[in-house]
Amino acid sequence: EKKVLASSAKDLSPSYDWFQTDSLITIVIYTKQKDMNADLVIVDCQDKQLRGEIIMDDYSYLIEVDLDHAVSEDVAVNIAEKVGKVEIILNKKDKVHWKMLGQPCEGHNTFIKRTDRGLFYRKCKLISKTEVTHDTKLFCLMLPKGTHLRVPTGQHVYLKHIIAGTEVVKPYTPVLPFLPLDFQEPPCHDGVHIYLMIKIYSHGLFTQALDHLHIGDYISVSNPEGNFKKSQVQTSEDLLLLAGGTGFTPMVKLLNFALSEVSCLRTVKLIFFNKTEHDILWRNQLEQLALKDERFEVQFVLSQPSKDWVGKQGKISLSLLSEFVKRARRDSKVLICICGPVPFTEQGVQYLKDLGYSQEEIHAFTA
Ligand code: FAD
Ligand code: NAD
């Protein structure tokens, strides 16, 4: 009988090499993974510090060196998706011959569990702040020139700021600058700006500090995190989104991804729970989208409506969900995503289970 040896993480570890010309330094990382893409490569190059992280499922491979000589701020990242090769190309500041790539830092050339890799932050510039509702704003942040980072659909980042001498960290879910109405082409992310839709709480520790930032100020932004996988949507025919307040934020990229890139998708229904009409985020855009795309439907439910609200009212409940959450066909492939205040999400998941939906058909966005 042949002995089958389980391959250790070490065998699967990417490896790297580097070479130079008069003006360029090229670092080549062989990931040995066939389905590499730009969402999985995070590069930061500032002064003489280079950090390149490759995300491979639950693992992270890191290149981290204190470079031998100075490089300019422009960094190019090329990914050969099918062969899993990643190139990081740096421009030498001076046309000198490098004897080595640089001094390796602590985590250099390691392949470890993602959860064991500390979050890395870079300082981003606040470009604009625009009003979405009476208490919610869209913040546009700009990544530094030497950073290559894209936040995947369904993932969040952490913002870090020092408030009254203490470091405070809170998670936020990037959105798009607006809801595209035309889904013919996959949206082009410029790769430079990160948009965050943030509700400012009158006594909120972090959001008060954020609201007091000036245009041009800097704030630290982490690498993306989150357990949502695009593949969950890729095969779904009916997508149902249940959002409470700013729990709408993960739904933005999800909606856009589903409507533009999921070929088997038949319907997307958003049930959006808010206190009052004034609290509804991007109501106009959502209504426009519903008119434009017959696959999309939106339903607003208010928990504290004014007298003249003719729409649905109440909080998330079994009767409300049994009315709205229905399989188009008995064998439809359904995905239900839910996000909002913790009790909203917890109750929602329980009701969905009571209605006979399986764990695999439900994705709850949580910390
Ligand atoms: P805090 O100081 O924490 O307080 C918030 C408000 O709630 C205040 O009015 C406070 O008085 C009150 N409060 C505090 N604790 C309680 C309590 N236990 N019970 C009742 N009331 C309480 N928010 C967004 O706006 N946009 C996003 O995209 C977004 N994405 C997120 C992604 C994830 C994964 C998670 C977990 C949260 C996300 N949040 C998002 C929420 C965000 O992280 C912060 O919690 C939020 O901005 C409030 O922070 P704060 O420090 O200003 O408020
Ligand atoms: P909110 O207080 O304005 O409430 C919005 C709606 O949620 C209400 O109208 C109601 O229908 C429902 N709701 C609120 N509290 C409820 C409760 N106790 N039980 C049942 N339903 C309830 O909401 P907000 O201030 O915009 O807060 C949004 C929440 O979403 C925050 O707690 C935030 O942390 C969370 N959030 C989480 C993620 C994530 O985990 N990925 C992302 C974004 C936002």
Side-chain angles (χ1 to χ4, degrees):
E1 202 183 338
K2 257 192 181 170
K3 234 185 189 172
V4 181
L5 292 174
S7 49
S8 66
K10 202 166 172 240
D11 298 330
L12 300 169
S13 172
S15 60
Y16 82 99
D17 205 349
W18 71 283
F19 55 87
Q20 60 187 309
T21 64
D22 273 356
S23 56
L24 301 175
I25 293 287
T26 300
I27 299 152
V28 190
I29 300 160
Y30 304 95
T31 65
K32 307 179 194 170
Q33 182 167 301
K34 277 186 227 144
D35 46 358
M36 253 303 123
N37 69 62
D39 286 1
L40 306 174
V41 181
I42 305 161
V43 177
D44 286 277
C45 186
Q46 231 139 45
D47 304 323
K48 283 173 71 185
Q49 288 292 319
L50 173 73
R51 186 184 188 280
E53 185 173 352
I54 317 258
I55 307 297
M56 295 167 67
D57 294 323
D58 296 336
Y59 281 80
S60 144
Y61 177 72
L62 190 71
I63 291 288
E64 195 176 24
V65 286
D66 190 0
L67 296 168
D68 202 27
H69 294 273
V71 293
S72 74
E73 284 180 348
D74 323 272
V75 177
V77 177
N78 293 332
I79 299 158
E81 305 202 353
K82 294 213 172 76
V83 289
K85 189 174 84 171
V86 177
E87 279 179 353
I88 303 171
I89 302 163
L90 311 172
N91 288 287
K92 290 181 179 175
K93 263 204 178 139
D94 305 302
K95 291 186 175 171
V96 292
H97 183 82
W98 289 26
K99 289 202 187 69
M100 58 192 294
L101 180 61
Q103 288 296 334
C105 301
E106 206 187 312
H108 179 62
N109 200 20
T110 57
F111 186 55
I112 58 172
K113 277 255 164 74
R114 265 183 97 172
T115 44
D116 294 334
R117 182 90 68 204
L119 277 178
F120 182 78
Y121 289 86
R122 75 282 298 145
K123 287 213 160 80
C124 294
K125 195 177 186 170
L126 177 62
I127 299 299
S128 64
K129 246 193 291 188
T130 46
E131 245 174 49
V132 177
T133 63
H134 63 103
D135 61 6
T136 302
K137 291 180 184 174
L138 187 68
F139 289 77
C140 174
L141 303 175
M142 189 168 74
L143 291 165
K145 225 173 166 198
T147 295
H148 174 282
L149 180 158
R150 296 206 330 203
V151 183
T153 297
Q155 297 199 9
H156 52 267
V157 293
Y158 293 87
L159 296 188
K160 184 169 80 176
H161 199 60
I162 294 176
I163 301 170
T166 310
E167 211 171 70
V168 184
V169 170
K170 297 266 164 135
Y172 294 95
T173 315
V175 295
L176 301 170
F178 49 84
L179 271 183
L181 289 175
D182 190 358
F183 292 105
Q184 301 308 313
E185 297 285 323
C188 43
H189 301 291
D190 67 5
V192 178
H193 297 104
I194 292 184
Y195 294 89
L196 299 168
M197 196 188 269
I198 299 178
K199 173 164 164 178
I200 312 296
Y201 293 91
S202 53
H203 300 288
L205 176 65
F206 201 74
T207 53
Q208 279 300 319
L210 270 181
D211 198 32
H212 285 89
L213 288 180
H214 294 110
I215 305 302
D217 283 352
Y218 286 84
I219 182 139
S220 296
V221 178
S222 79
N223 286 0
E225 233 184 35
N227 55 12
F228 182 80
K229 293 203 169 66
K230 265 187 183 174
S231 57
Q232 293 173 266
V233 200
Q234 246 142 2
T235 54
S236 54
E237 296 167 322
D238 297 304
L239 180 62
L240 190 88
L241 309 173
L242 304 174
T246 58
F248 172 60
T249 53
M251 309 307 178
V252 173
K253 283 193 183 186
L254 195 52
L255 241 179
N256 187 64
F257 172 71
L259 290 173
S260 58
E261 290 179 58
V262 178
S263 52
C264 53
L265 192 83
R266 281 197 312 245
T267 66
V268 185
K269 197 189 278 185
L270 169 68
I271 306 177
F272 197 178
F273 296 81
N274 284 281
K275 287 188 183 132
T276 72
E277 264 182 281
H278 305 294
D279 299 318
I280 303 176
L281 304 166
W282 281 0
R283 177 179 183 177
N284 210 323
Q285 295 193 50
L286 288 165
E287 287 174 338
Q288 291 287 321
L289 182 58
L291 285 175
K292 186 99 200 282
D293 195 314
E294 58 184 22
R295 297 171 296 172
F296 177 65
E297 192 188 313
V298 60
Q299 181 78 49
F300 301 112
V301 184
L302 301 183
S303 59
Q304 295 165 25
S306 64
K307 281 197 257 23
D308 37 309
W309 174 251
V310 293
K312 280 275 155 202
Q313 41 181 293
K315 284 196 177 177
I316 198 161
S317 67
L318 192 60
S319 66
L320 202 136
L321 290 185
S322 60
E323 184 183 340
F324 286 112
V325 189
K326 286 199 184 95
R327 283 176 202 275
R329 287 197 309 248
R330 210 144 61 91
D331 58 349
S332 304
K333 276 219 73 186
V334 181
L335 180 69
I336 308 173
C337 297
I338 180 164
C339 188
V342 174
F344 168 88
T345 305
E346 284 176 353
Q347 289 166 30
V349 168
Q350 190 51 53
Y351 295 140
L352 292 168
K353 287 184 177 162
D354 294 345
L355 287 170
Y357 290 92
S358 68
Q359 192 82 54
E360 293 70 44
E361 292 175 313
I362 306 168
H363 180 84
F365 288 96
T366 51

